[in-house]
Amino acid sequence: MREVYPNIYMEGIPLLGSPLKELNCFIIKGSKRNLIVDLGFDTEVGKNKIRTALADIGCRPEETDVFITHAHEDHIGALLSLKKEGCFQHMYISSVEADFYNDMRNVGLDTQIMEMAKWEGFGYEEGMEAFRTHPACGNTGGKPPVAFDTLRDGDMIDLGDFLFYVYLFPGHTLGLAGIYEPRKKILLAGDHILGKITPNITFWQLDFDALGEYLVSLNRAYQLDVDYLFSAHRYLLPDMRKRIDELKQHHAKRLDEVQRILREKGPRNAYQVAEDMKWDYGGGDFRRFAITQKWFAAGEAFAHLEHLYWEEIIRREEKDGVFYYSV
């Protein structure tokens, strides 16, 4: 654990079995209340690191709340276990992410994932395997809703000597949110802006242009006066705006790559496009990926195809329940 700003501490939480390897968990020691930002998976090794960190800096669990940037398991997984231990009078999350999380716990993901797998061009067996290995599937199906303290854009979290404003940055998820302290020029933005790796921008639903929303959210963050960007994975970035420019250039190149594949090979579904895209993971060959990584890669291809469709640059046609795209 290290102090990355006076009274803000960063602890690395192991993400066992994930290529992300670790979550940057931040603990803010305020004069009124303390706040943890994101928690990691529900594992004993991760929760022990959080318990130890709180004790080491003198934060009592009953005086400590939590802010979840978004409802991915590597950020929210340990929430309910730690809540049962007496942590978190307040469990803050955006209203959009709260609805998504509670809907997922009540209904489950099987129908949604299988439908999306078919749209993308997965065969039935690979689609079933993607569902069985999906990181969120252990947290679904007939569970009671969680009583979150839901937040909207512009709401405040007052910790005393830190006063954070909530900023919605949709794209990586439907309702990812960050918190910004304008006096101290601090932004904690979860997976919105990461160093070295690019946040996974995937398909969510037909009425949500994930990549388009993400690019708008990047521009929104760009307007903030930020000296300290605290991201959820990898190293901390010294220059937020430089990294935003790099992320926008990355997606511009991806969009060009997708269009080139369609021009050269004709109508393709997301799975087929992903097969021909270049990847930095696993030697770069989609065909050799583990099924979970195929799911994430095809979802990213799907998001880029959908953005081009929303922009009326390419066409989309449905055939036997599969979406095909063409220039």
Side-chain angles (χ1 to χ4, degrees), residues 126-292:
E126 273 196 316
M128 284 299 297
E129 189 180 355
F131 167 66
R132 287 192 296 267
T133 58
H134 196 285
C137 284
N139 196 32
T140 64
K143 297 181 180 180
V146 177
F148 290 110
D149 295 84
T150 57
L151 298 169
R152 299 185 182 277
D153 199 67
D155 285 348
M156 294 180 292
I157 300 176
D158 186 1
L159 305 180
D161 39 7
F162 294 93
L163 180 61
F164 286 99
Y165 290 82
V166 175
Y167 276 74
L168 290 184
F169 297 125
H172 178 62
T173 65
L174 297 168
L176 182 148
I179 51 175
Y180 175 58
E181 222 293 3
R183 298 169 302 178
K184 297 176 172 57
K185 301 181 181 179
I186 297 169
L187 176 64
L188 294 102
D191 287 359
H192 183 47
I193 305 164
L194 302 177
K196 188 176 181 180
I197 58 175
T198 56
N200 177 247
I201 308 302
T202 192
F203 174 85
W204 286 95
Q205 56 196 41
L206 290 175
D207 61 352
F208 181 76
D209 175 13
L211 179 57
E213 293 287 346
Y214 181 65
L215 296 174
V216 170
S217 294
L218 285 178
N219 289 336
R220 190 178 193 212
Y222 198 96
Q223 302 305 314
L224 299 177
D225 190 5
V226 174
D227 287 342
Y228 302 92
L229 173 66
F230 298 139
S231 300
H233 302 288
R234 301 296 196 268
Y235 53 81
L236 301 185
L237 293 160
D239 188 335
M240 181 189 74
R241 288 175 175 165
K242 178 182 177 183
R243 183 55 179 162
I244 288 175
D245 287 337
E246 292 170 350
L247 290 169
K248 290 167 69 174
Q249 291 167 11
H250 164 80
H251 287 291
K253 290 178 181 177
R254 277 301 206 200
L255 291 168
D256 288 343
E257 180 183 24
V258 167
Q259 291 178 81
R260 176 185 56 77
I261 292 168
L262 295 181
R263 283 195 301 269
E264 292 178 356
K265 303 212 169 178
R268 288 289 184 271
N269 59 49
Y271 188 100
Q272 293 168 328
V273 169
E275 286 183 317
D276 289 323
M277 293 172 70
K278 295 180 180 178
W279 303 97
D280 292 333
Y281 172 84
D285 185 355
F286 174 89
R287 297 163 185 82
R288 303 171 73 90
F289 288 1
I291 188 62
T292 302

Side-chain angles (χ1 to χ4, degrees), residues 11-15 21-25 39-41 46 49-50:
E11 178 63 284
I13 308 299
L15 298 175
K21 298 180 181 178
E22 203 170 61
L23 171 85
N24 296 331
C25 171
L39 298 169
F41 292 143
K49 294 201 79 171
I50 291 173

